[in-house]
Amino acid sequence: MADTNSTENVTVIDGAAPDAEATVETAEVKTAPAAGGADVSRNTERVKAFARSIAKVKAELAKDVVGQKDIIDNVLIAIVAGGNVLLEGVPGVGKTRLVRSLGKTLGLPFSRIQFTPDLMPSDVTGTNVIEKGADGKMNTVFQRGPIFANLVLADEINRATPKTQSSMLEVMQEHKVTVAKQTYVLQEPFFVLATENPIEQDGTYPLPEAQMDRFIFKLIVKFPSVDELADIVNMTQVTLDETAEAVIDGPTVMEMRALAKDVPVIDDVLKYAVNLVSNSHPELEKTSDTAKKYIKYGASPRAAQALITAAKVRALMNGNYNVSYEDIDELARPVLRHRIKVNYTAVNEKLGVDDVIGLLIQENKKLSK
Amino acid sequence: MSDITSENFRKIKKKYLTVAIVAACILGACLGVALTCTLAVIIKTTVVNFHWAIYIPIALVLSAGAGYLFFLILRPDDKRIAKKLDRDFSLNQKVQTMVEFAGAEGDMHALQREQTNEALGEVAKKRVDLKWLLKFIFVPVIALAMLFAGIFTPAKKSTGDYDPAYNMSAAHATALKNLIAEVEASSLETGLNLFIRLELNELLDMLEEAEYQSAMKGAVITAVHNIDSLVGDANSYMHIYGILVASEQLGGISTAIVNGVVDYKAVNRASLTSMKVVGNFEDTADDRIREVLESWKDYYFTAYEPKAEGEETGTPLPKGEAAEKLLPFAEALTDALSDDQLQKYAPNTEQQPTVRETEEGDVLYVRLTELAERLTTLALSSETGGYDNDLSYLNAIKGAFTSFIENSTVALSTQSYNCMMDDYIRNTLSRIFGINRAEFGSNAHIAPQPIETEQGGKDPNKEEGGGGWSPGDHKFGSSDEILDEENNESKKYSEFLDPSDPDKGTLYDKYFDRAMEYVADGACPEHVAAYIRQYFAYLRGDLETDGNS
């Protein structure tokens, strides 16, 4: 198990996880490194290529994943923004397939961890094992866990004990693992995609708020429509394997992340996002009526950071070079739904958290006019 | 200078600037017109109606000011334009971002500007949306409403400026001629009588030519003031009083002279408010003047006959002491009468008032001069004048004063009569022409109120006037013979009257006074006031005709 309180030695692990997929170096964006010499035309071309790269990724994912357009968009936003995603959906809706296909498309090592009540932290992070060397001496060797990948699928994360869940905290937030006073830095990009099953709550351990806050988005994977379901069935009659091919790679993702940070945000939009988060707090003196009426506790400051970061990526993905109110509104539900707790009044009026966020958006629009 | 490089944005901004200038001019003009018309309405309803041309420069100035204010409100600010463009054309804050990061460097910003400029390409081709100007639609609406109000609001007729026409009526002419005849028949001194009639005749001439009420009022008031001056010139007692009262020794006698005149006038005051034939005033008034002067004399001589405690009559001062007491009085009187201001009343002087033209001089002045000379002689001859004792000396002094009182009473009653006639003429003119007496101003400088003196001044038991009838007053119609049908006998009209009932003249006076109070208070416009005056003039003419017949 990881000991995060002890003195650390830092080691950068640049190798892929044991079960990682092969990396592919065919990314379009990668061909234009961010050089310090100011070749403006080349740099602007890189920016323009961002949207084209994303489009290619989406096209590849569409080969394996039927429908779920919003989920794919938001997952891609989260990856570029450097955040983790919590997927909630019933079994069989394609969560794992999405992640596997994503790993292939991005050309990134992928690992999957099935969380169970008996899963130990060391099963996630890895552990030191005694190994007999060639010279016959016994040496302690760190055996890397499945977390050592660029893309990690934490399947049914709420089925693991809080102890195991908490082992994910450092990894998700700081992208590093500490075992026996030795810290291992994970290779970027690092992305955790956790899933939750909204049904079968017996024997589960709901994620604590602190851990929930570390997910940039919580996405609800809906059951496919009849047409989509028919396509899924047809597709899987041919092969169960993912057919997507790598179109970009890790460095390209990192470069896209850097590019997205440059997207300008005007003060009005920034205030709009900040107010949206602030207005979710019922305890504040100047807050929204919605918060006072329906919210038990509001979103953390990380929500505002996440909104702006993700909005920048969304703007670029849509071919815009600035953040708009629309970007904030569209991302408000994925960003806020796991950070806001509605009260009994909302439950009594059969208002879900998404409904309450919708009311918050409406009120925020009025207040910002 | 703006850092914004977008050509399309500049084009759009230019359009907005043009719209703002045009809108500011139009709205400014509307607001200027609205304000000017508001001003016009206020002026019209409260003061006077100016010529319409005066409002043009006012409207221009107000429009310019309002236009500038509107331009400040509407002028196209980069941020405001950007916000509006983003909102109106769903540009997802592209323009706002471009404006806010106009000076920023970097590929992303360059791309953002490029993208925004492209997006604005289509927008720049479109016409500027003018719907936002609709929120200012109330300005031209108000302007239009105020323009109508300004044009069609009737100007308030100013009582100050409105001057009704005046054509002297036959009633006015007759009444004025009657007054002239009354003056002629009065007991005024010949000179004064003549000059006052000349003044009234001149008034008659002026009124025949007068075209407006203001001219009529001005002429009447001027005539009153001129008559006041004539009476003031003719009467010496106020001038003499003014000099004598300055001396400590002469305060008593000067006050007695004034009170004598005023007291005589006061007896006849009641008759002055009615329309009566002048000349039948109290003919025993000389006695009243004499009483006042005697009263002063008695008071004065108490110092010459000090009373011992318990005695009813006093003991005369020794001759020497009496002479010492008398001499300062005589000298003060001599000095006062020699004052330059009183020289015009001396005999054989060229400075005499025009209304007198007599070589004998003013009677009052002459009598006072005689008194001064006689008292001086008495004061200097107490031992050599052949006076047997103190009492004979005192009686000689008293005799001098008694002689003065007897001789000066006639002069004082004449001057008092002049004052009364002045009051009478004032009142009569007031009634004829319906002019409030207050508009004539005071004539207190020629006919003052009684002066308080050490010996008591006014006699509280005497009738002060101000109401009722005095002995000798003539009542209209009271002497008319009327047939009593019950016994077929002819009786005087006064025998039929209830003594408590006022006669027609008194009723007229009360009626007239009350009406004139309202007119003077501005209770009615001037043209109505003119009708009221005319009505009273006719009524007065009828009464006089009735009375005469």
Side-chain angles (χ1 to χ4, degrees), chain B residues 490-531:
Chain B
S490 186
K491 286 185 178 178
K492 281 195 173 183
Y493 174 65
S494 55
E495 293 176 25
F496 288 92
L497 294 176
D498 183 344
S500 61
D501 285 344
D503 70 338
K504 288 187 282 183
T506 307
L507 277 175
Y508 172 89
D509 289 343
K510 287 183 177 178
Y511 185 24
F512 175 81
D513 285 345
R514 194 70 186 273
M516 286 304 107
E517 280 176 19
Y518 281 109
V519 170
D521 289 345
C524 60
E526 186 59 33
H527 64 284
V528 178
Y531 281 117

Coordinates of all heavy atoms in Angstrom, one line a residue, chain B residues 490-531:
Chain B
S490 N -98.5 117.4 3.5 CA -97.1 117.3 3.0 C -96.1 117.4 4.1 O -96.2 118.2 5.0 CB -96.9 118.5 2.0 OG -95.6 118.4 1.4
K491 N -95.2 116.4 4.1 CA -94.2 116.3 5.2 C -92.8 116.3 4.6 O -92.6 115.9 3.4 CB -94.4 115.0 6.0 CG -95.5 115.1 7.0 CD -95.5 113.8 7.8 CE -96.6 113.8 8.8 NZ -96.6 112.5 9.6
K492 N -91.8 116.6 5.4 CA -90.4 116.5 5.0 C -90.1 115.0 5.0 O -90.5 114.2 5.8 CB -89.5 117.3 5.9 CG -89.5 118.8 5.7 CD -88.3 119.4 6.3 CE -88.2 120.9 5.9 NZ -87.1 121.5 6.5
Y493 N -89.2 114.7 4.0 CA -88.9 113.3 3.8 C -88.2 112.7 5.1 O -88.4 111.6 5.5 CB -87.9 113.2 2.7 CG -87.3 111.8 2.5 CD1 -88.2 110.7 2.1 CD2 -86.0 111.5 2.6 CE1 -87.7 109.4 2.0 CE2 -85.5 110.3 2.5 CZ -86.3 109.2 2.1 OH -85.8 108.0 1.9
S494 N -87.5 113.6 5.8 CA -86.7 113.1 7.0 C -87.7 112.7 8.1 O -87.3 111.9 8.9 CB -85.8 114.3 7.5 OG -86.6 115.4 7.7
E495 N -88.9 113.2 8.0 CA -89.9 112.8 9.0 C -90.4 111.4 8.8 O -90.9 110.7 9.7 CB -91.1 113.8 9.0 CG -90.7 115.2 9.5 CD -91.9 116.2 9.4 OE1 -93.0 115.7 9.4 OE2 -91.7 117.4 9.2
F496 N -90.3 110.9 7.6 CA -90.7 109.6 7.3 C -89.6 108.5 7.7 O -89.9 107.3 7.8 CB -91.0 109.4 5.8 CG -92.3 110.1 5.4 CD1 -92.4 111.4 5.0 CD2 -93.5 109.3 5.5 CE1 -93.5 112.0 4.6 CE2 -94.7 109.9 5.2 CZ -94.7 111.3 4.7
L497 N -88.4 109.0 7.8 CA -87.3 108.1 7.9 C -87.1 107.6 9.3 O -87.4 108.4 10.3 CB -86.0 108.8 7.5 CG -85.8 109.1 6.0 CD1 -84.5 109.9 5.8 CD2 -85.9 107.9 5.2
D498 N -86.8 106.4 9.5 CA -86.4 105.8 10.8 C -85.0 106.4 11.1 O -84.1 106.3 10.3 CB -86.3 104.3 10.7 CG -85.9 103.7 12.0 OD1 -85.5 104.4 12.9 OD2 -86.1 102.5 12.1
P499 N -84.9 107.0 12.2 CA -83.6 107.7 12.5 C -82.4 106.7 12.5 O -81.2 107.1 12.2 CB -83.8 108.2 14.0 CG -85.2 108.3 14.1 CD -85.8 107.2 13.3
S500 N -82.7 105.4 12.7 CA -81.6 104.5 12.7 C -81.2 104.0 11.2 O -80.1 103.5 11.0 CB -82.0 103.2 13.5 OG -83.1 102.6 12.9
D501 N -82.1 104.4 10.3 CA -81.8 104.0 8.9 C -80.8 105.0 8.3 O -81.0 106.2 8.4 CB -83.0 104.0 8.0 CG -83.9 102.7 8.3 OD1 -83.3 101.8 8.9 OD2 -85.1 102.7 8.0
P502 N -79.8 104.6 7.6 CA -78.9 105.5 6.9 C -79.6 106.0 5.7 O -80.5 105.3 5.1 CB -77.7 104.6 6.6 CG -78.2 103.2 6.5 CD -79.4 103.2 7.5
D503 N -79.2 107.1 5.3 CA -79.8 107.6 4.0 C -79.1 107.0 2.8 O -78.2 106.3 2.9 CB -79.8 109.2 4.0 CG -78.4 109.7 3.8 OD1 -77.5 108.9 4.2 OD2 -78.3 110.8 3.4
K504 N -79.6 107.4 1.6 CA -79.0 106.8 0.4 C -77.5 107.1 0.2 O -76.8 106.3 -0.2 CB -79.8 107.3 -0.8 CG -81.2 106.7 -0.9 CD -81.9 107.1 -2.2 CE -82.4 108.6 -2.1 NZ -83.1 109.0 -3.3
G505 N -77.2 108.4 0.6 CA -75.8 108.8 0.4 C -74.9 107.9 1.3 O -73.8 107.5 0.8
T506 N -75.3 107.6 2.5 CA -74.4 106.8 3.4 C -74.4 105.4 2.8 O -73.3 104.7 2.8 CB -75.0 106.8 4.8 OG1 -75.2 108.1 5.2 CG2 -74.1 106.1 5.7
L507 N -75.5 104.9 2.4 CA -75.5 103.5 1.8 C -74.6 103.5 0.6 O -73.8 102.5 0.4 CB -76.9 103.2 1.3 CG -77.8 102.6 2.4 CD1 -79.2 102.4 1.8 CD2 -77.3 101.3 3.0
Y508 N -74.7 104.5 -0.2 CA -73.8 104.6 -1.4 C -72.3 104.5 -1.0 O -71.5 103.8 -1.5 CB -74.0 105.8 -2.2 CG -73.1 106.0 -3.3 CD1 -73.3 105.5 -4.6 CD2 -71.9 106.7 -3.1 CE1 -72.4 105.6 -5.6 CE2 -70.9 106.9 -4.1 CZ -71.2 106.3 -5.4 OH -70.3 106.5 -6.4
D509 N -72.0 105.3 0.1 CA -70.6 105.4 0.5 C -70.1 104.0 1.0 O -69.0 103.6 0.6 CB -70.5 106.4 1.7 CG -70.6 107.8 1.2 OD1 -70.5 108.0 0.0 OD2 -70.9 108.7 2.1
K510 N -71.0 103.3 1.8 CA -70.6 102.0 2.3 C -70.4 101.0 1.1 O -69.4 100.3 1.1 CB -71.6 101.5 3.3 CG -71.6 102.2 4.6 CD -72.6 101.6 5.6 CE -72.5 102.2 6.9 NZ -73.5 101.7 7.8
Y511 N -71.4 101.1 0.3 CA -71.4 100.2 -0.9 C -70.1 100.5 -1.7 O -69.4 99.5 -2.1 CB -72.7 100.5 -1.7 CG -72.9 99.6 -2.9 CD1 -72.4 98.3 -3.0 CD2 -73.8 100.1 -3.9 CE1 -72.7 97.5 -4.1 CE2 -74.0 99.3 -5.0 CZ -73.5 98.0 -5.1 OH -73.7 97.2 -6.2
F512 N -69.9 101.7 -2.0 CA -68.7 102.1 -2.8 C -67.4 101.7 -2.1 O -66.5 101.1 -2.8 CB -68.7 103.6 -3.0 CG -67.5 104.1 -3.8 CD1 -67.5 104.0 -5.2 CD2 -66.5 104.7 -3.1 CE1 -66.3 104.4 -5.8 CE2 -65.4 105.1 -3.8 CZ -65.3 105.0 -5.1
D513 N -67.3 102.0 -0.8 CA -66.1 101.7 -0.1 C -65.8 100.2 -0.2 O -64.6 99.8 -0.4 CB -66.1 102.2 1.3 CG -66.0 103.7 1.4 OD1 -65.5 104.3 0.4 OD2 -66.3 104.2 2.5
R514 N -66.8 99.4 0.1 CA -66.6 98.0 0.1 C -66.2 97.4 -1.3 O -65.3 96.6 -1.4 CB -67.9 97.3 0.5 CG -67.8 95.9 0.9 CD -67.0 95.8 2.2 NE -66.7 94.4 2.6 CZ -67.5 93.6 3.3 NH1 -68.7 94.1 3.7 NH2 -67.2 92.4 3.6
A515 N -66.9 98.0 -2.3 CA -66.5 97.5 -3.6 C -65.1 97.9 -4.0 O -64.4 97.1 -4.6 CB -67.5 98.1 -4.6
M516 N -64.7 99.1 -3.7 CA -63.4 99.5 -4.0 C -62.3 98.8 -3.3 O -61.2 98.6 -3.8 CB -63.2 101.0 -3.7 CG -63.9 101.9 -4.7 SD -63.4 101.6 -6.4 CE -64.8 100.8 -7.1
E517 N -62.6 98.3 -2.1 CA -61.7 97.4 -1.3 C -61.4 96.2 -2.1 O -60.3 95.7 -2.3 CB -62.2 97.1 0.0 CG -62.1 98.2 1.1 CD -62.7 97.8 2.4 OE1 -63.0 96.6 2.6 OE2 -63.0 98.7 3.2
Y518 N -62.5 95.6 -2.6 CA -62.3 94.3 -3.4 C -61.5 94.6 -4.7 O -60.6 93.8 -5.1 CB -63.7 93.7 -3.8 CG -64.3 93.0 -2.6 CD1 -65.4 93.5 -1.9 CD2 -63.7 91.7 -2.3 CE1 -65.9 92.7 -0.9 CE2 -64.3 91.0 -1.2 CZ -65.4 91.5 -0.5 OH -65.9 90.8 0.5
V519 N -61.9 95.8 -5.3 CA -61.1 96.1 -6.6 C -59.7 96.3 -6.3 O -58.8 95.8 -7.0 CB -61.8 97.3 -7.2 CG1 -60.9 97.9 -8.4 CG2 -63.2 97.0 -7.7
A520 N -59.4 97.0 -5.2 CA -58.0 97.3 -4.9 C -57.2 96.0 -4.5 O -56.0 95.9 -4.8 CB -57.9 98.3 -3.7
D521 N -58.0 95.0 -4.0 CA -57.3 93.8 -3.6 C -57.1 92.9 -4.8 O -56.6 91.8 -4.7 CB -58.2 93.0 -2.6 CG -58.1 93.7 -1.2 OD1 -57.2 94.6 -1.1 OD2 -59.0 93.4 -0.4
G522 N -57.5 93.3 -6.0 CA -57.3 92.5 -7.2 C -58.3 91.4 -7.3 O -58.0 90.4 -8.0
A523 N -59.5 91.6 -6.7 CA -60.5 90.5 -6.8 C -61.1 90.3 -8.2 O -61.6 89.3 -8.5 CB -61.6 90.8 -5.8
C524 N -60.9 91.3 -9.0 CA -61.4 91.2 -10.4 C -60.5 91.8 -11.3 O -59.6 92.6 -11.0 CB -62.8 91.9 -10.5 SG -62.8 93.6 -10.1
P525 N -60.5 91.3 -12.6 CA -59.6 91.9 -13.6 C -59.9 93.4 -13.8 O -61.0 93.9 -13.5 CB -59.9 91.1 -14.9 CG -60.7 89.9 -14.5 CD -61.4 90.3 -13.2
E526 N -58.9 94.1 -14.5 CA -59.0 95.5 -14.6 C -60.2 95.9 -15.4 O -60.9 96.9 -15.2 CB -57.7 96.0 -15.2 CG -57.6 97.6 -15.3 CD -57.8 98.2 -13.9 OE1 -57.3 97.6 -12.9 OE2 -58.3 99.3 -13.9
H527 N -60.5 95.1 -16.5 CA -61.7 95.5 -17.3 C -63.0 95.4 -16.6 O -63.9 96.2 -16.8 CB -61.7 94.7 -18.6 CG -62.0 93.2 -18.4 ND1 -61.0 92.4 -17.9 CD2 -63.1 92.5 -18.6 CE1 -61.5 91.2 -17.9 NE2 -62.8 91.2 -18.2
V528 N -63.1 94.5 -15.6 CA -64.3 94.4 -14.8 C -64.3 95.6 -13.8 O -65.3 96.2 -13.6 CB -64.3 93.1 -14.0 CG1 -65.6 93.0 -13.1 CG2 -64.3 91.9 -15.0
A529 N -63.1 95.9 -13.3 CA -63.0 97.0 -12.3 C -63.5 98.3 -13.0 O -64.1 99.2 -12.4 CB -61.6 97.1 -11.8
A530 N -63.1 98.4 -14.3 CA -63.5 99.6 -15.0 C -65.1 99.7 -15.1 O -65.6 100.8 -14.9 CB -62.9 99.6 -16.4
Y531 N -65.7 98.6 -15.4 CA -67.2 98.6 -15.4 C -67.7 99.0 -14.0 O -68.7 99.7 -13.9 CB -67.7 97.2 -15.8 CG -67.6 96.9 -17.3 CD1 -66.8 95.9 -17.8 CD2 -68.4 97.7 -18.2 CE1 -66.7 95.7 -19.1 CE2 -68.3 97.5 -19.5 CZ -67.5 96.5 -20.0 OH -67.4 96.3 -21.3

